[in-house]
Amino acid sequence: MASFVVALVAALAAVAAVAYARGQKVAADRSATASERAATAAELSAKAALTAEERALRSEQDMAAMQARLVTSEVIYPTPSEEVQGFDFLRIEVKNHSDAPVHLPRIAELRNSSAWVTGFQIGWKVVEDYTDSYRDPEVLGPGESHRFPAEFVIDESKLPKGATWEPTAVVISFTDARGVRWRRTGNEEPRREL
């Protein structure tokens, strides 16, 4: 009988050890699951905060570019009567459609089908008007525009094959009312100058 009691106690101890081990595993699994949930929640919270931060930054950039989007450029070709009179240059009209002034509007580049023309060394260049009163404006007020005269300065016969003399894009630069300098190519999204 004593051996039966010893065997029973040993069996009960083994069952208790197995139950304890299972309990420990369940607790560990629950703890791991809770830790995983907490880590996932923290990761999602960090992503949400980053996304909110990115949205705020994009919104700020969008607001900063709001006035710059309202400054446009257009190529104005000479009328037939102007050509007869010898005024065969183009004019690049820069217009401020915003309700605040822009400062130092300039033609930064003119592009034709063959290449970018920078600094007006070849191809197109902004020229002084045929009047003595021509000056680049310092400020364009709300709704104001200015026409920059431009002329072609190389022999058209020397253009690469397939190239045209007409500019295909105008790059303007200007400073907005907040003091930020911008560049805008045609109707593309304006970009800050650094």
Side-chain angles (χ1 to χ4, degrees), residues 25-44:
K25 183 174 182 331
V26 168
D29 288 347
R30 284 183 183 158
S31 176
T33 302
S35 294
E36 288 172 6
R37 285 183 190 151
T40 301
E43 187 178 322
L44 290 173

Side-chain angles (χ1 to χ4, degrees), residues 4-87:
F4 174 74
V5 171
V6 169
L8 183 61
V9 169
L12 288 173
V15 169
V18 168
Y20 178 76
R22 282 188 182 162
Q24 289 296 337
K25 183 174 182 331
V26 168
D29 288 347
R30 284 183 183 158
S31 176
T33 302
S35 294
E36 288 172 6
R37 285 183 190 151
T40 301
E43 187 178 322
L44 290 173
S45 177
K47 283 182 181 177
L50 182 60
T51 302
E53 198 173 292
E54 287 172 346
R55 280 194 308 263
L57 180 59
R58 284 186 187 144
S59 177
E60 181 182 324
Q61 290 171 342
D62 192 49
M63 292 295 289
M66 191 177 299
Q67 182 185 19
R69 285 188 199 100
L70 296 173
V71 179
T72 61
S73 64
E74 179 184 3
V75 177
I76 308 293
Y77 294 94
T79 65
S81 65
E82 288 175 325
E83 287 179 345
V84 167
Q85 297 170 28
F87 293 96

Side-chain angles (χ1 to χ4, degrees), residues 106-165:
R106 298 294 183 262
I107 306 300
E109 299 174 62
L110 295 173
R111 183 180 185 180
N112 65 19
S113 62
S114 59
W116 281 103
V117 180
T118 307
F120 312 108
Q121 295 167 6
I122 60 169
W124 288 96
K125 73 173 187 174
V126 173
V127 295
E128 289 189 13
D129 202 342
Y130 293 105
T131 64
D132 293 333
S133 62
Y134 179 82
R135 280 197 184 148
D136 288 340
E138 297 298 311
V139 177
L140 280 183
E144 290 182 349
S145 64
H146 179 77
R147 290 186 176 184
F148 294 84
E151 66 180 357
F152 201 61
V153 293
I154 62 172
D155 185 349
E156 288 182 44
S157 66
K158 295 180 181 175
L159 281 173
K161 187 172 183 167
T164 65
W165 62 271

